[in-house]
Amino acid sequence: MIYGYARCSTNESKQDINRQIKELKAAGADEVIFEYEHGDARTKKELNMLLELAQAGDTIIALEVSRLSRSTQQLCEIIDTIREKRLRLVIVGSITIDCRDGKADPMSEAFLQMAGVFSQLELAMIRTRV
């Protein structure tokens, strides 16, 4: 099964999530899970549900690392879950981590973690401006 995950950080009156859903379906998602949430991983109920629902061999796709997490720590926890559950994580047009054999390519994992660092930096800069 290929699951897409879409997230917007504000409510539907301020952001339209449909672009993400369309792009995820075009990228091959059989089902798209989405939510409007900007909090930490504990508040991302749909993402947590998706990570629990996914079975070994499944794929989770997202359009950007920042849709999954804006925290390097949270992203590392997601990567651990991907590895433990033997899933494949695809950031469309960017990075793929295939843990279906129980391990991740070290270079791909490092690039994903670096993308997470930049996502966290971007959020900090946005918060500073606001």
Side-chain angles (χ1 to χ4, degrees):
M1 181 76 161
I2 301 174
Y3 295 97
Y5 176 72
R7 182 187 63 80
C8 286
S9 57
T10 61
N11 63 39
E12 51 277 344
S13 68
K14 294 183 180 179
Q15 282 185 305
D16 181 13
I17 204 162
N18 289 323
R19 176 195 61 85
Q20 287 183 58
I21 293 170
K22 287 177 189 171
E23 289 184 34
L24 289 167
K25 286 183 178 180
D30 299 313
E31 182 179 341
V32 177
I33 308 296
F34 65 92
E35 63 190 321
Y36 290 90
E37 184 58 62
H38 71 279
D40 62 26
R42 292 179 302 275
T43 62
K44 293 179 182 160
K45 293 178 181 76
E46 298 298 320
L47 176 58
N48 292 331
M49 183 271 307
L50 171 57
L51 290 171
E52 286 180 29
L53 173 71
Q55 300 294 312
D58 287 347
T59 297
I60 297 174
I61 60 177
L63 296 179
E64 302 170 18
V65 172
S66 65
R67 299 302 87 208
L68 291 173
S69 177
R70 291 248 186 177
S71 158
T72 306
Q73 178 182 349
Q74 291 168 11
L75 184 60
C76 288
E77 291 168 3
I78 291 169
I79 294 169
D80 287 344
T81 301
I82 297 292
R83 185 181 303 107
E84 289 166 11
K85 293 196 75 171
R86 295 177 171 259
L87 304 172
R88 184 170 158 247
L89 174 65
V90 176
I91 307 302
V92 177
S94 181
I95 304 165
T96 297
I97 292 190
D98 191 343
C99 297
R100 292 176 291 184
D101 65 356
K103 54 190 170 198
D105 169 56
M107 190 65 78
S108 297
E109 187 171 348
F111 277 115
L112 185 61
Q113 289 170 342
M114 287 191 303
V117 167
F118 286 109
S119 183
Q120 184 172 326
L121 172 63
E122 180 183 30
L123 179 61
M125 292 171 59
I126 290 168
R127 288 181 175 164
T128 299
R129 284 193 302 264
V130 172

